[in-house]
Amino acid sequence: MAIIGKPLYGTHGELLHDGKYGIFPFTQQERAKKSSKNKPAGTLVTKALQNVNRDAIRDMLLNKVIPSIVSKWPASLPKNVVIQWDNARPHQIPRDEEFIVATQANGFNIEFVFQPAQSPDLNVLDLGLFRSIQSLQYQSFPKNVDELVEKVIESYNNFKPEVNKYIWVTLQRCMIKILKAEGGNKYKIPHMNKKKLENLGILPNQIEVERSIVVEAVEYLNTMFRPATQGNHEAEIEDMEVDAD
């Protein structure tokens, strides 16, 4: 499970926080049942967790994700944290008291939201982090799970803050594309020569959205959905017409 946020820069462009909060493997250790050439029976062996279910996700959030965010959160930012994840079946928000207390401890307010369905480009991890990790990790040839975990963590640590910055800009551009596509996903991921713009000192941190795009999107939504009170009112009118007939 990887956690990444938008990197934080100072007024003079200096890096204040790289946006990296950690990456944690779903693994467990078991004792080898049989002796082999490399290890005797009883040796602890790391194995991938075969069933990443709701309980495994809760344990990961409670013992890895939340503590990591709390310990690395920039002091200059408000402690209202929104974690977006995809709609995988095990991704269910725990509702037990222990978990709720953990999300509100130390003055934090940690909330969870789900990525919109059929919107892969709204997952910032898929926009750049995982691709970068794979390109680095594929340069090695791990022989076991321990070596694989080590290489993945190393690749995560080597993930450059400027690349992280670029993918957050791309995320904003994708949001605009989705607005223009009326919520659809039939568009190409936009490219804007971000490295060149940064070298020129004109790469925006926040992408401005034209007012007309927002207005058109709202008007489209209004044609797709109508308030419940409006629907009830129209139904009452139809009933009155039927009664009159």
Side-chain angles (χ1 to χ4, degrees), residues 23 40 48 66-67 141 144 146 151 179 196 202 219 237:
I23 186 168
I66 293 177
F141 302 93
N144 52 50
D146 284 320
K151 290 300 180 182
L179 288 175
K196 179 179 179 180
I202 57 175
E219 290 177 349
I237 293 176

Side-chain angles (χ1 to χ4, degrees), residues 3-6 17-24 64-65 68-70 72-74 77 156:
I3 323 165
I4 201 162
K6 188 176 181 180
H17 192 278
D18 58 11
K20 292 189 287 187
Y21 294 90
I23 186 168
F24 308 101
K64 298 291 185 180
V65 172
S68 179
I69 291 175
V70 170
K72 297 180 181 180
W73 190 254
L77 294 183
Y156 177 88

Side-chain angles (χ1 to χ4, degrees), residues 38-224:
N38 299 320
K39 58 181 179 297
T43 303
L44 285 174
V45 179
T46 303
K47 293 188 177 181
L49 190 64
Q50 297 300 314
N51 185 19
V52 182
N53 55 24
R54 180 175 58 183
D55 293 335
I57 292 291
R58 179 191 178 279
D59 182 72
M60 177 66 73
L61 293 174
L62 190 62
N63 297 307
K64 298 291 185 180
V65 172
I66 293 177
S68 179
I69 291 175
V70 170
S71 65
K72 297 180 181 180
W73 190 254
S76 59
L77 294 183
K79 293 185 177 182
N80 295 314
V81 182
V82 177
I83 298 176
Q84 175 182 294
W85 55 4
D86 62 30
N87 294 275
R89 185 173 296 178
H91 288 178
Q92 299 182 28
I93 304 172
R95 303 294 184 185
D96 61 277
E97 184 176 354
E98 181 185 14
F99 189 84
I100 293 174
V101 169
T103 60
Q104 298 176 354
N106 302 300
F108 279 83
N109 178 29
I110 301 176
E111 299 180 276
F112 293 80
V113 298
F114 289 100
Q115 174 184 323
Q118 300 180 351
S119 303
D121 297 331
L122 293 182
N123 187 330
V124 73
L125 298 176
D126 289 338
L127 282 178
L129 175 65
F130 288 153
R131 190 182 302 113
S132 297
I133 286 179
Q134 287 177 342
S135 65
L136 292 171
Q137 184 259 315
Y138 285 165
Q139 299 174 17
S140 62
F141 302 93
K143 300 176 182 179
N144 52 50
V145 175
D146 284 320
E147 290 186 9
L148 175 61
V149 169
E150 180 183 352
K151 290 300 180 182
V152 171
I153 293 176
E154 180 182 337
S155 299
Y156 177 88
N157 292 334
N158 290 334
F159 179 62
K160 297 181 179 180
E162 55 266 30
V163 178
N164 187 15
K165 178 182 179 180
Y166 297 162
I167 63 178
W168 282 90
V169 172
T170 300
L171 175 66
Q172 296 175 61
R173 294 288 303 277
C174 287
M175 290 177 176
I176 296 175
K177 287 286 188 178
I178 292 172
L179 288 175
K180 290 182 177 180
E182 298 180 338
N185 54 19
K186 293 183 178 180
Y187 60 86
K188 293 182 179 180
I189 295 181
H191 299 281
M192 55 186 293
N193 295 319
K194 293 182 283 292
K195 181 64 176 178
K196 179 179 179 180
L197 294 178
E198 184 175 44
N199 290 337
L200 294 173
I202 57 175
L203 178 67
N205 186 41
Q206 303 254 348
I207 304 296
E208 293 186 0
V209 186
E210 295 179 13
R211 181 180 178 83
S212 59
I213 295 175
V214 178
V215 171
E216 290 175 3
V218 172
E219 290 177 349
Y220 172 73
L221 288 174
N222 286 337
T223 65
M224 299 296 293

Side-chain angles (χ1 to χ4, degrees), residues 217-243:
V218 172
E219 290 177 349
Y220 172 73
L221 288 174
N222 286 337
T223 65
M224 299 296 293
F225 307 98
R226 61 184 182 185
T229 54
Q230 178 183 346
N232 293 336
H233 178 65
E234 293 179 355
E236 290 175 0
I237 293 176
E238 292 177 358
D239 289 341
M240 292 175 63
E241 290 176 348
V242 170
D243 292 340

Side-chain angles (χ1 to χ4, degrees), residues 7-44:
L8 182 64
Y9 289 85
T11 55
H12 301 291
E14 69 277 16
L15 180 66
L16 301 178
H17 192 278
D18 58 11
K20 292 189 287 187
Y21 294 90
I23 186 168
F24 308 101
F26 284 97
T27 57
Q28 60 185 3
Q29 287 195 318
E30 299 179 356
R31 295 196 178 277
K33 297 180 179 179
K34 297 181 180 180
S35 297
S36 65
K37 181 176 63 176
N38 299 320
K39 58 181 179 297
T43 303
L44 285 174

